[in-house]
Amino acid sequence: MSNEASPERRPARRVVTGHDGHGKSIILSDGTPPNIRDRGTGVDFIEIWNTQSVPAILTADEPEPTDGPLITPPPEGGTKIRFNDFFPGHIDRLPPRADGRHKMMHRTKSVDYGIVLEGEIWMILDDSEVLLTPGTVVVQRGTDHAWENRSDKPCRMAFILVSGEFSEELRITLPENLEIRTGAVFNDTPVGA
């Protein structure tokens, strides 16, 4: 885990509100998010916030919710927001997959709202791809997908992830051995961690 930004990395600012002892609204923190992870893959994970449930239980103050292992999907029944910085050439840092699929292909049981803030990135699906530019919003609905920055500049995306479940009608059309992402970049984090 690294909280120091290299010269090419731009920090993010997070402002968190809460309540004082009299129920008045206050700013609890204002600054760089404490958990910025670089897994050596050319993709930085800037963890902003997460909730363990929906509806979220609101308290006056709470411990840092982004502490702990880096996990791609939101908590089961919960939400997550993060920025991802995709650096040029990030795909070259990943090992090839034994099944020959795109190195970054993954799926989560969630609805993900991905917003391109700056730069550009290609979204790759099973049989198609599309170039995304600033201001584009992707609604990722539990599909296999990958991200690839083919430009010479970093791409920053915001992701808001909401826990989900596959309907029975959809599930029977999907592969029997459905590969669900549980870790950060690979399935390297136990479910429930």
Side-chain angles (χ1 to χ4, degrees):
M1 174 174 28
S2 171
N3 287 330
E4 293 188 26
S6 71
E8 61 191 33
R9 294 187 173 116
R10 289 186 318 98
R13 179 180 175 199
R14 182 185 76 170
V15 179
V16 179
T17 65
H19 298 85
D20 69 12
H22 302 288
K24 293 189 179 206
S25 57
I26 59 170
I27 293 174
L28 295 174
S29 65
D30 181 350
T32 302
N35 290 304
I36 300 172
R37 276 75 177 252
D38 170 2
R39 296 291 304 263
T41 61
V43 180
D44 282 357
F45 291 76
I46 303 164
E47 300 297 290
I48 306 294
W49 201 259
N50 62 58
T51 66
Q52 296 298 311
S53 63
V54 173
I57 305 303
L58 302 174
T59 59
D61 192 1
E62 66 182 275
E64 176 58 45
T66 66
D67 284 344
L70 176 60
I71 300 173
T72 297
E76 188 171 336
T79 67
K80 181 174 288 210
I81 180 171
R82 72 166 47 99
F83 288 171
N84 280 117
D85 287 342
F86 297 89
F87 293 94
H90 70 96
I91 292 302
D92 299 334
R93 293 180 168 188
L94 296 173
R97 289 175 54 126
D99 60 10
R101 297 176 77 207
H102 190 280
K103 295 176 181 181
M104 199 177 200
M105 192 64 77
H106 66 285
R107 175 194 312 259
T108 57
K109 288 193 328 183
S110 58
V111 175
D112 305 345
Y113 307 107
I115 306 155
V116 181
L117 301 175
E118 60 185 59
E120 62 182 42
I121 197 155
W122 288 86
M123 180 179 67
I124 296 120
L125 301 177
D126 288 326
D127 63 358
S128 61
E129 59 183 40
V130 62
L131 178 63
L132 309 175
T133 55
T136 304
V137 178
V138 173
V139 181
Q140 188 65 249
R141 301 176 55 247
T143 59
D144 268 334
H145 65 285
W147 307 106
E148 191 168 330
N149 182 350
R150 299 174 186 164
S151 78
D152 60 356
K153 295 185 172 113
C155 173
R156 176 170 279 185
M157 290 186 71
F159 288 97
I160 298 97
L161 301 91
V162 180
S163 178
E165 290 291 335
F166 297 111
S167 71
E168 284 300 316
E169 295 81 13
L170 174 60
R171 184 60 185 98
I172 61 174
T173 69
L174 299 175
E176 184 178 331
N177 295 319
L178 192 61
E179 181 186 351
I180 301 292
R181 174 69 54 87
T182 58
V185 179
F186 309 105
N187 284 336
D188 57 359
T189 302
V191 175

